[in-house]
Amino acid sequence: MRNSKLKILVSTDKKYAPYCGVTLTSCFISNPESEAYVLIGERLAKKDMKRFSQLEKRFNTKIHFIYVSNELFNGAPLLMWSLPMYYRLLAPTVLPEELDRILYLDCDIVVNDDLTEFWNMDMSDHSAAVVIESDSYAPNFNHIKRLNYDASLGYFNSGMMLINLEFWRKMNVFQQGIDYLRNKLNEK
């Protein structure tokens, strides 16, 4: 049985730790019964850890830090992204087994509403709940064309995903993601 308490997943590095704090603060304000998991590949500065500790106290919540090995992503194409962008692939392997879902948020998101209804949606047969990317709001910024991506495959904003961890574990999404990255690198 799923715990109804909203579980947030973010990934960061030293550079984005302050922004991560803003994202979590906005989430805790709008969703007081939430807690967070932070995926990070390096130790944060003491001042940043102190700020996260202050957030825990202020909102009477828990922020779990999970340190990951950047070596898992050696050779991953970075283009305009950083390594923490790939950390979400680790969710099914590093998060507690009893979690059946997690809400992944990029560190540039501000949450300004209650996410309970979204959190509780039925995802039994789906990998994730995502927002389909539409170029209608920014027609001059065509992601599919810019990334030389096959439009028939669909494109979504990966900055906010309600991830079905049971599905990701069953489908071994982490390994599939790593295999895809390695195959893409070998094509070049």
Side-chain angles (χ1 to χ4, degrees), residues 117-156:
E117 185 176 348
F118 181 60
W119 174 253
N120 288 318
M121 71 186 314
D122 179 20
M123 293 183 25
S124 52
D125 296 328
H126 302 282
S127 170
V130 300
V131 176
I132 299 300
E133 186 71 47
S134 169
D135 288 319
S136 62
Y137 67 89
N140 295 329
F141 198 68
N142 186 323
H143 299 296
I144 293 171
K145 187 182 231 180
R146 179 178 55 85
L147 296 170
N148 194 24
Y149 185 75
D150 181 355
S152 69
L153 297 173
Y155 186 82
F156 63 91

Side-chain angles (χ1 to χ4, degrees), residues 12-14 38-44 65-68 87:
T12 193
D13 56 19
K14 289 178 183 178
V38 178
L39 300 179
I40 187 153
E42 58 192 350
R43 297 278 175 203
L44 293 178
F65 287 89
I66 301 172
Y67 292 91
V68 299
Y87 294 170

Side-chain angles (χ1 to χ4, degrees), residues 3-22:
N3 183 336
S4 63
K5 190 176 189 179
L6 180 67
K7 307 284 195 244
I8 306 300
L9 177 66
V10 292
S11 58
T12 193
D13 56 19
K14 289 178 183 178
K15 181 179 176 184
Y16 285 95
Y19 308 108
C20 181
V22 171

